[in-house]
Coordinates of all heavy atoms in Angstrom, one line a residue:
M294 N 5.4 25.1 5.6 CA 5.2 23.6 5.8 C 5.9 23.3 7.1 O 7.1 23.5 7.4 CB 6.0 22.9 4.7 CG 5.9 21.4 4.8 SD 6.6 20.6 3.3 CE 6.5 18.9 3.7
K295 N 5.1 22.8 8.0 CA 5.6 22.4 9.3 C 5.6 20.9 9.5 O 4.7 20.2 9.2 CB 4.7 22.9 10.5 CG 4.9 24.4 10.6 CD 4.1 24.9 11.8 CE 4.2 26.4 11.9 NZ 3.3 27.0 12.9
L296 N 6.7 20.4 10.0 CA 6.9 18.9 10.2 C 7.2 18.7 11.6 O 8.0 19.5 12.2 CB 8.0 18.4 9.3 CG 7.7 18.3 7.8 CD1 8.9 17.9 7.0 CD2 6.6 17.4 7.5
S297 N 6.7 17.6 12.2 CA 7.1 17.3 13.6 C 8.5 16.7 13.6 O 9.0 16.3 12.5 CB 6.1 16.2 14.1 OG 6.3 15.0 13.5
N298 N 9.1 16.6 14.7 CA 10.4 16.0 14.8 C 10.4 14.6 14.2 O 11.3 14.2 13.6 CB 10.8 16.0 16.2 CG 11.5 17.3 16.6 OD1 11.8 18.1 15.8 ND2 11.7 17.5 17.9
D299 N 9.4 13.8 14.6 CA 9.3 12.4 14.1 C 9.3 12.4 12.5 O 9.9 11.6 11.9 CB 8.1 11.7 14.6 CG 8.3 11.2 16.0 OD1 9.5 11.2 16.5 OD2 7.4 10.7 16.7
Q300 N 8.4 13.3 12.0 CA 8.3 13.3 10.5 C 9.7 13.7 9.9 O 10.1 13.1 8.9 CB 7.3 14.3 10.1 CG 5.9 13.8 10.3 CD 4.8 14.9 10.0 OE1 4.9 16.0 10.4 NE2 3.8 14.5 9.2
L301 N 10.3 14.7 10.5 CA 11.7 15.1 10.0 C 12.7 13.9 10.1 O 13.4 13.7 9.2 CB 12.2 16.3 10.7 CG 11.6 17.6 10.4 CD1 12.1 18.7 11.3 CD2 11.9 18.0 8.9
K302 N 12.6 13.2 11.2 CA 13.5 12.1 11.4 C 13.3 11.0 10.3 O 14.2 10.6 9.7 CB 13.3 11.5 12.8 CG 14.6 11.1 13.5 CD 14.3 10.5 14.8 CE 14.0 11.5 15.9 NZ 13.7 10.9 17.2
S303 N 12.0 10.6 10.1 CA 11.7 9.6 9.1 C 12.0 10.1 7.7 O 12.5 9.3 6.9 CB 10.3 9.1 9.3 OG 9.4 10.1 9.0
L304 N 11.8 11.4 7.5 CA 12.0 11.9 6.2 C 13.5 11.9 5.9 O 13.9 11.4 4.8 CB 11.5 13.4 6.2 CG 11.5 14.0 4.8 CD1 10.5 13.3 3.9 CD2 11.1 15.5 4.9
S305 N 14.3 12.3 6.8 CA 15.7 12.3 6.5 C 16.3 10.9 6.4 O 17.2 10.6 5.7 CB 16.5 13.1 7.5 OG 16.3 12.6 8.8
A306 N 15.7 10.0 7.2 CA 16.1 8.6 7.1 C 15.8 8.0 5.7 O 16.6 7.3 5.1 CB 15.3 7.8 8.2
V307 N 14.6 8.4 5.2 CA 14.2 7.9 3.9 C 15.1 8.5 2.8 O 15.6 7.8 2.0 CB 12.7 8.3 3.6 CG1 12.4 8.0 2.2 CG2 11.8 7.4 4.5
L308 N 15.3 9.8 2.9 CA 16.1 10.5 1.9 C 17.5 9.8 1.9 O 18.1 9.7 0.8 CB 16.2 11.9 2.2 CG 14.9 12.7 1.9 CD1 15.1 14.2 2.4 CD2 14.6 12.7 0.5
D309 N 18.0 9.5 3.1 CA 19.3 9.0 3.2 C 19.5 7.6 2.5 O 20.5 7.3 1.9 CB 19.7 8.8 4.6 CG 21.1 8.6 4.9 OD1 21.9 9.3 4.2 OD2 21.5 7.9 5.8
K310 N 18.4 6.9 2.5 CA 18.4 5.5 1.9 C 17.9 5.4 0.5 O 17.9 4.4 -0.1 CB 17.6 4.6 2.8 CG 18.2 4.3 4.2 CD 17.2 3.5 5.0 CE 17.7 3.4 6.5 NZ 16.7 2.9 7.3
T311 N 17.3 6.5 0.0 CA 16.6 6.3 -1.3 C 17.1 7.3 -2.3 O 16.4 7.9 -3.0 CB 15.1 6.6 -1.1 OG1 14.9 7.8 -0.5 CG2 14.5 5.5 -0.3
R312 N 18.4 7.5 -2.4 CA 19.0 8.5 -3.3 C 18.6 8.2 -4.7 O 18.4 9.1 -5.5 CB 20.5 8.6 -3.1 CG 20.8 9.6 -2.1 CD 22.3 9.6 -1.8 NE 22.4 10.1 -0.4 CZ 23.3 9.6 0.4 NH1 24.2 8.7 0.1 NH2 23.4 10.1 1.7
E313 N 18.5 6.9 -5.1 CA 18.3 6.7 -6.5 C 16.8 6.7 -6.8 O 16.3 6.7 -7.9 CB 18.9 5.4 -7.0 CG 18.3 4.1 -6.4 CD 18.9 3.7 -5.2 OE1 19.2 4.5 -4.3 OE2 19.0 2.5 -5.0
F314 N 16.0 6.7 -5.7 CA 14.5 6.8 -5.9 C 14.0 8.2 -5.5 O 14.3 8.6 -4.4 CB 13.8 5.7 -5.1 CG 14.0 4.3 -5.7 CD1 15.0 3.5 -5.2 CD2 13.1 3.9 -6.6 CE1 15.2 2.3 -5.8 CE2 13.3 2.6 -7.2 CZ 14.4 1.8 -6.8
E315 N 13.2 8.8 -6.3 CA 12.8 10.1 -6.0 C 11.4 10.1 -5.4 O 10.8 11.2 -5.1 CB 12.7 11.0 -7.2 CG 14.1 11.2 -7.8 CD 15.0 12.0 -6.9 OE1 14.6 12.8 -6.1 OE2 16.2 11.6 -6.9
L316 N 10.8 8.9 -5.2 CA 9.5 8.8 -4.6 C 9.4 9.4 -3.2 O 10.2 9.0 -2.4 CB 9.1 7.3 -4.6 CG 7.6 7.0 -4.7 CD1 7.0 7.5 -6.0 CD2 7.4 5.5 -4.6
N317 N 8.5 10.3 -2.9 CA 8.3 10.7 -1.5 C 7.1 10.1 -1.0 O 6.3 9.4 -1.7 CB 8.3 12.2 -1.4 CG 7.2 12.9 -2.2 OD1 6.1 12.3 -2.3 ND2 7.4 14.0 -2.8
C318 N 6.8 10.4 0.3 CA 5.7 9.7 0.9 C 4.3 10.0 0.3 O 3.5 9.1 0.1 CB 5.6 10.1 2.4 SG 6.9 9.3 3.4
N319 N 4.1 11.3 -0.2 CA 2.9 11.6 -0.8 C 2.7 10.8 -2.1 O 1.6 10.3 -2.4 CB 2.9 13.1 -1.1 CG 2.5 13.9 0.1 OD1 2.0 13.4 1.1 ND2 2.8 15.2 0.1
E320 N 3.8 10.8 -2.9 CA 3.7 10.0 -4.1 C 3.5 8.5 -3.8 O 2.7 7.9 -4.6 CB 5.0 10.2 -4.9 CG 5.1 11.7 -5.5 CD 6.5 12.0 -5.9 OE1 7.5 11.3 -5.5 OE2 6.6 12.9 -6.8
C321 N 4.2 8.0 -2.8 CA 4.0 6.6 -2.5 C 2.5 6.4 -2.1 O 2.0 5.4 -2.6 CB 4.9 6.3 -1.3 SG 4.8 4.6 -0.8
L322 N 2.0 7.2 -1.3 CA 0.6 7.0 -0.8 C -0.4 7.1 -2.0 O -1.5 6.5 -1.9 CB 0.3 8.0 0.3 CG 1.0 7.7 1.6 CD1 0.7 8.7 2.7 CD2 0.8 6.3 2.2
D323 N 0.0 8.0 -2.9 CA -0.9 8.1 -4.2 C -0.9 6.7 -4.9 O -1.9 6.4 -5.5 CB -0.4 9.1 -5.1 CG -0.8 10.5 -4.7 OD1 -1.7 10.6 -3.9 OD2 -0.3 11.5 -5.3
L324 N 0.2 6.0 -4.9 CA 0.3 4.8 -5.7 C 0.0 3.5 -4.9 O -0.1 2.5 -5.5 CB 1.7 4.8 -6.3 CG 2.1 5.9 -7.3 CD1 3.6 5.8 -7.6 CD2 1.3 5.7 -8.6
V325 N 0.0 3.6 -3.6 CA 0.0 2.4 -2.8 C -1.2 1.6 -3.0 O -1.1 0.3 -2.9 CB 0.3 2.8 -1.3 CG1 -0.9 3.3 -0.6 CG2 0.9 1.6 -0.6
S326 N -2.4 2.2 -3.2 CA -3.6 1.3 -3.4 C -3.5 0.5 -4.7 O -3.9 -0.6 -4.8 CB -4.8 2.2 -3.4 OG -4.8 3.1 -4.5
E327 N -2.9 1.2 -5.7 CA -2.7 0.5 -7.0 C -1.7 -0.7 -6.8 O -2.0 -1.8 -7.3 CB -2.1 1.5 -8.0 CG -2.4 1.2 -9.4 CD -1.9 2.3 -10.3 OE1 -1.9 3.5 -10.0 OE2 -1.3 1.9 -11.4
F328 N -0.7 -0.4 -6.1 CA 0.3 -1.4 -5.8 C -0.3 -2.6 -5.0 O 0.0 -3.7 -5.3 CB 1.5 -0.8 -5.0 CG 2.5 -1.7 -4.6 CD1 3.5 -2.1 -5.5 CD2 2.6 -2.2 -3.3 CE1 4.5 -3.0 -5.2 CE2 3.6 -3.1 -2.9 CZ 4.5 -3.5 -3.9
A329 N -1.1 -2.3 -4.0 CA -1.7 -3.3 -3.2 C -2.6 -4.2 -4.0 O -2.6 -5.4 -3.9 CB -2.5 -2.7 -2.0
E330 N -3.4 -3.6 -4.9 CA -4.3 -4.3 -5.8 C -3.5 -5.3 -6.7 O -3.9 -6.5 -6.9 CB -5.1 -3.4 -6.7 CG -6.2 -2.7 -5.9 CD -7.0 -1.8 -6.8 OE1 -7.3 -2.1 -8.0 OE2 -7.3 -0.7 -6.4
L331 N -2.4 -4.8 -7.2 CA -1.6 -5.7 -8.1 C -0.9 -6.8 -7.3 O -0.9 -8.0 -7.8 CB -0.5 -4.8 -8.8 CG -1.0 -3.9 -9.9 CD1 0.2 -3.0 -10.4 CD2 -1.5 -4.7 -11.1
E332 N -0.5 -6.5 -6.1 CA 0.1 -7.5 -5.2 C -0.9 -8.6 -4.9 O -0.6 -9.8 -5.0 CB 0.6 -6.8 -3.9 CG 1.9 -6.2 -4.0 CD 3.0 -7.2 -3.9 OE1 3.3 -7.6 -2.7 OE2 3.7 -7.5 -4.9
L333 N -2.1 -8.2 -4.6 CA -3.1 -9.2 -4.2 C -3.6 -10.0 -5.4 O -4.0 -11.1 -5.3 CB -4.3 -8.4 -3.6 CG -4.1 -8.0 -2.1 CD1 -5.3 -7.1 -1.7 CD2 -3.8 -9.1 -1.2
A334 N -3.6 -9.3 -6.6 CA -4.0 -10.0 -7.8 C -2.8 -10.9 -8.4 O -2.9 -11.5 -9.4 CB -4.4 -9.0 -8.8
K335 N -1.6 -10.8 -7.7 CA -0.4 -11.4 -8.1 C 0.0 -11.1 -9.5 O 0.4 -12.0 -10.3 CB -0.6 -13.0 -7.9 CG -0.9 -13.4 -6.5 CD -0.3 -14.7 -6.1 CE -0.7 -15.2 -4.8 NZ -0.5 -14.2 -3.7
Q336 N -0.2 -9.8 -9.9 CA 0.2 -9.4 -11.2 C 1.6 -8.8 -11.1 O 2.1 -8.5 -10.0 CB -0.8 -8.3 -11.7 CG -2.1 -8.9 -12.0 CD -3.1 -7.8 -12.5 OE1 -2.7 -6.8 -13.1 NE2 -4.4 -8.1 -12.3
S337 N 2.3 -8.7 -12.2 CA 3.6 -8.2 -12.2 C 3.6 -6.7 -11.9 O 2.6 -6.0 -12.3 CB 4.3 -8.4 -13.5 OG 3.7 -7.8 -14.5
I338 N 4.6 -6.2 -11.2 CA 4.6 -4.8 -10.7 C 5.4 -4.0 -11.7 O 6.6 -4.3 -12.0 CB 5.3 -4.7 -9.4 CG1 4.6 -5.7 -8.3 CG2 5.3 -3.3 -8.8 CD1 3.2 -5.4 -8.1
P339 N 4.7 -3.0 -12.4 CA 5.5 -2.2 -13.3 C 6.6 -1.4 -12.6 O 6.5 -1.2 -11.4 CB 4.4 -1.2 -13.9 CG 3.2 -1.4 -13.0 CD 3.3 -2.6 -12.2
T340 N 7.5 -0.9 -13.4 CA 8.7 -0.3 -12.9 C 8.3 0.9 -12.0 O 8.9 1.1 -10.9 CB 9.6 0.3 -14.0 OG1 9.8 -0.8 -14.9 CG2 10.9 0.8 -13.5
A341 N 7.3 1.7 -12.4 CA 6.9 2.8 -11.6 C 6.5 2.4 -10.2 O 6.7 3.2 -9.3 CB 5.8 3.5 -12.4
L342 N 5.9 1.2 -10.1 CA 5.4 0.8 -8.8 C 6.4 0.1 -8.0 O 6.2 -0.1 -6.8 CB 4.1 0.0 -9.0 CG 2.9 0.7 -9.5 CD1 1.7 -0.2 -9.6 CD2 2.5 1.9 -8.6
Q343 N 7.5 -0.3 -8.7 CA 8.6 -1.0 -7.9 C 9.2 0.0 -7.0 O 9.7 -0.3 -5.9 CB 9.6 -1.6 -8.8 CG 9.1 -2.8 -9.5 CD 10.0 -3.4 -10.6 OE1 11.1 -2.9 -10.7 NE2 9.4 -4.4 -11.3
A344 N 9.2 1.3 -7.3 CA 9.6 2.3 -6.4 C 8.8 2.4 -5.2 O 9.3 2.7 -4.1 CB 9.6 3.7 -7.1
V345 N 7.5 2.1 -5.3 CA 6.6 2.0 -4.2 C 7.1 0.9 -3.2 O 7.2 1.1 -2.0 CB 5.1 1.8 -4.6 CG1 4.2 1.6 -3.4 CG2 4.6 2.9 -5.4
A346 N 7.4 -0.3 -3.8 CA 7.8 -1.4 -3.0 C 9.1 -1.0 -2.2 O 9.2 -1.4 -1.1 CB 8.1 -2.6 -3.9
H347 N 10.0 -0.4 -2.9 CA 11.2 0.0 -2.3 C 11.0 1.0 -1.2 O 11.5 0.9 -0.1 CB 12.1 0.7 -3.4 CG 13.5 0.9 -2.9 ND1 14.5 -0.1 -2.8 CD2 14.1 2.1 -2.6 CE1 15.6 0.5 -2.3 NE2 15.4 1.8 -2.2
H348 N 10.1 2.0 -1.5 CA 9.7 3.0 -0.4 C 9.2 2.3 0.8 O 9.5 2.7 1.9 CB 8.8 4.0 -1.0 CG 8.5 5.1 -0.1 ND1 9.2 6.3 -0.1 CD2 7.6 5.2 0.9 CE1 8.7 7.1 0.9 NE2 7.7 6.5 1.5
L349 N 8.3 1.3 0.6 CA 7.6 0.6 1.7 C 8.7 -0.1 2.5 O 8.4 -0.3 3.7 CB 6.6 -0.3 1.2 CG 5.4 0.3 0.5 CD1 4.4 -0.8 -0.1 CD2 4.6 1.2 1.5
D350 N 9.7 -0.6 1.9 CA 10.8 -1.3 2.7 C 11.5 -0.3 3.6 O 12.0 -0.7 4.6 CB 11.8 -1.9 1.7 CG 11.4 -3.2 1.2 OD1 10.5 -3.8 1.8 OD2 12.0 -3.7 0.3
L351 N 11.5 0.9 3.2 CA 12.3 1.9 3.9 C 11.5 2.8 4.9 O 12.1 3.4 5.8 CB 13.1 2.8 2.9 CG 14.0 2.1 2.0 CD1 14.5 3.0 0.9 CD2 15.2 1.4 2.7
C352 N 10.2 2.9 4.6 CA 9.4 3.9 5.3 C 8.4 3.3 6.2 O 7.4 2.7 5.6 CB 8.8 4.9 4.3 SG 7.8 6.1 5.1
Q353 N 8.5 3.3 7.4 CA 7.6 2.7 8.4 C 6.2 3.3 8.3 O 5.3 2.5 8.3 CB 8.2 2.9 9.8 CG 7.4 2.2 10.9 CD 7.5 0.7 10.7 OE1 8.5 0.2 10.3 NE2 6.4 0.0 11.2
E354 N 6.1 4.5 8.1 CA 4.8 5.2 8.0 C 4.0 4.7 6.8 O 2.8 4.3 7.0 CB 4.9 6.7 7.9 CG 5.3 7.3 9.3 CD 5.4 8.8 9.2 OE1 4.6 9.5 8.5 OE2 6.4 9.3 9.7
C355 N 4.6 4.6 5.7 CA 3.9 4.2 4.5 C 3.7 2.7 4.6 O 2.7 2.2 4.1 CB 4.7 4.5 3.2 SG 4.7 6.3 2.9
R356 N 4.6 2.0 5.2 CA 4.4 0.5 5.4 C 3.1 0.2 6.2 O 2.4 -0.6 5.9 CB 5.6 0.0 6.1 CG 5.7 -1.5 6.3 CD 6.2 -2.2 5.1 NE 5.5 -3.4 4.9 CZ 5.7 -4.2 3.8 NH1 6.5 -3.9 2.9 NH2 5.0 -5.3 3.7
E357 N 2.9 1.0 7.2 CA 1.7 0.9 8.0 C 0.5 1.2 7.3 O -0.5 0.5 7.4 CB 1.8 1.7 9.3 CG 2.7 1.1 10.4 CD 3.0 2.1 11.5 OE1 2.3 3.1 11.7 OE2 4.0 1.9 12.2
E358 N 0.6 2.2 6.4 CA -0.5 2.6 5.6 C -0.8 1.5 4.6 O -2.0 1.1 4.4 CB -0.1 3.9 4.8 CG -1.2 4.7 4.3 CD -2.0 5.3 5.5 OE1 -1.5 5.7 6.5 OE2 -3.3 5.3 5.3
Y359 N 0.2 0.9 4.0 CA 0.0 -0.2 3.1 C -0.6 -1.4 3.8 O -1.5 -2.1 3.2 CB 1.4 -0.5 2.5 CG 1.5 -1.8 1.6 CD1 0.8 -1.8 0.4 CD2 2.1 -2.9 2.1 CE1 0.8 -3.0 -0.4 CE2 2.2 -4.0 1.3 CZ 1.5 -4.1 0.1 OH 1.6 -5.2 -0.7
D360 N -0.1 -1.8 5.0 CA -0.6 -2.9 5.7 C -2.1 -2.8 6.0 O -2.9 -3.7 5.9 CB 0.2 -3.2 7.0 CG 1.6 -3.8 6.7 OD1 1.8 -4.3 5.6 OD2 2.4 -3.7 7.7
T361 N -2.4 -1.5 6.4 CA -3.8 -1.3 6.7 C -4.7 -1.4 5.5 O -5.8 -2.0 5.5 CB -4.0 0.2 7.2 OG1 -3.1 0.3 8.4 CG2 -5.4 0.5 7.6
L362 N -4.2 -0.9 4.4 CA -4.9 -1.0 3.1 C -5.1 -2.4 2.6 O -6.2 -2.8 2.2 CB -4.1 -0.2 2.1 CG -4.8 0.1 0.7 CD1 -5.9 1.0 0.9 CD2 -3.8 0.7 -0.2
L363 N -4.0 -3.2 2.8 CA -4.0 -4.6 2.4 C -5.1 -5.4 3.2 O -5.8 -6.1 2.6 CB -2.6 -5.2 2.6 CG -2.1 -6.2 1.6 CD1 -2.2 -5.7 0.2 CD2 -0.6 -6.6 2.0
K364 N -5.1 -5.1 4.5 CA -6.1 -5.8 5.3 C -7.5 -5.4 4.9 O -8.4 -6.2 4.9 CB -5.8 -5.4 6.8 CG -4.8 -6.3 7.4 CD -4.6 -6.0 8.9 CE -3.2 -6.4 9.4 NZ -2.6 -5.5 10.3
A365 N -7.7 -4.1 4.7 CA -9.0 -3.6 4.3 C -9.5 -4.3 3.0 O -10.6 -4.7 2.9 CB -9.0 -2.1 4.1
I366 N -8.6 -4.4 2.0 CA -8.9 -5.0 0.8 C -9.3 -6.5 1.0 O -10.2 -7.0 0.4 CB -7.8 -4.8 -0.3 CG1 -7.6 -3.4 -0.6 CG2 -8.0 -5.7 -1.5 CD1 -6.4 -3.1 -1.5
Q367 N -8.4 -7.1 1.8 CA -8.7 -8.6 2.0 C -10.0 -8.8 2.8 O -10.7 -9.7 2.5 CB -7.5 -9.2 2.7 CG -6.3 -9.3 1.9 CD -5.0 -9.7 2.6 OE1 -4.8 -9.3 3.8 NE2 -4.1 -10.5 2.0
E368 N -10.2 -7.9 3.7 CA -11.4 -8.1 4.6 C -12.7 -7.8 3.8 O -13.6 -8.6 3.9 CB -11.3 -7.1 5.7 CG -12.4 -7.3 6.8 CD -12.1 -6.5 8.0 OE1 -10.9 -6.2 8.3 OE2 -13.1 -6.0 8.7
F369 N -12.7 -6.8 3.0 CA -13.9 -6.5 2.2 C -14.0 -7.2 0.9 O -15.1 -7.4 0.4 CB -14.0 -4.9 2.0 CG -14.2 -4.2 3.3 CD1 -13.1 -3.4 3.8 CD2 -15.3 -4.4 4.1 CE1 -13.3 -2.7 5.0 CE2 -15.5 -3.7 5.3 CZ -14.4 -2.9 5.8
G370 N -12.8 -7.5 0.4 CA -12.8 -8.4 -0.8 C -13.5 -7.8 -2.0 O -13.8 -8.4 -3.0
D371 N -13.7 -6.5 -2.0 CA -14.4 -5.8 -3.1 C -13.6 -5.5 -4.3 O -14.0 -5.0 -5.3 CB -15.1 -4.6 -2.6 CG -14.2 -3.5 -2.0 OD1 -13.0 -3.9 -1.9 OD2 -14.6 -2.5 -1.7
L372 N -12.3 -5.8 -4.2 CA -11.4 -5.6 -5.3 C -11.0 -6.9 -6.0 O -10.3 -6.9 -7.0 CB -10.1 -4.9 -4.8 CG -10.4 -3.5 -4.3 CD1 -9.2 -2.9 -3.6 CD2 -10.8 -2.5 -5.4
A373 N -11.5 -8.0 -5.5 CA -11.3 -9.3 -6.2 C -12.0 -9.4 -7.5 O -13.1 -8.8 -7.6 CB -11.7 -10.4 -5.3
P374 N -11.4 -10.0 -8.4 CA -12.0 -10.1 -9.8 C -13.3 -10.9 -9.7 O -13.4 -11.8 -8.9 CB -10.9 -10.8 -10.6 CG -9.9 -11.3 -9.7 CD -10.0 -10.6 -8.4
Ligands
ZN561 ZN1 6.8 7.1 3.1

């Protein structure tokens, strides 16, 4: 497994701030679309997905991924009820 310096830097920054949360970027990205849908639907966020919110606060990379996803959902509107 090779990581760039930037990835290592953000990884260690995340690990440093998220000791009580075991969510890593891959897990976060797996859940982020579900999280975005619930957010847009203004539904309550289950505990499992609150870790996603926490991760997004701390991780710039996943935050950007989430913002992109949110815009895509809003733009296409295909997830609206
Ligand atoms: Zn992340």
Side-chain angles (χ1 to χ4, degrees):
M294 180 175 177
K295 283 182 185 171
L296 292 171
S297 71
N298 274 349
D299 276 352
Q300 285 175 312
L301 282 174
K302 218 183 280 176
S303 62
L304 191 64
S305 60
V307 168
L308 289 175
D309 200 36
K310 290 173 187 169
T311 54
R312 271 174 207 142
E313 73 269 40
F314 288 92
E315 297 299 326
L316 207 61
N317 63 34
C318 286
N319 281 340
E320 290 166 337
C321 180
L322 293 175
D323 274 351
L324 295 169
V325 77
S326 62
E327 207 178 322
F328 178 76
E330 285 177 41
L331 288 173
E332 278 279 286
L333 285 173
K335 302 215 186 304
Q336 292 181 25
S337 63
I338 306 297
T340 310
L342 291 181
Q343 286 172 11
V345 175
H347 189 76
H348 185 93
L349 292 174
D350 273 349
L351 301 171
C352 179
Q353 185 65 30
E354 284 178 42
C355 290
R356 184 82 216 175
E357 282 170 18
E358 203 64 42
Y359 172 69
D360 284 344
T361 304
L362 191 67
L363 215 53
K364 274 182 205 145
I366 293 172
Q367 286 170 327
E368 189 169 330
F369 295 111
D371 58 355
L372 296 169

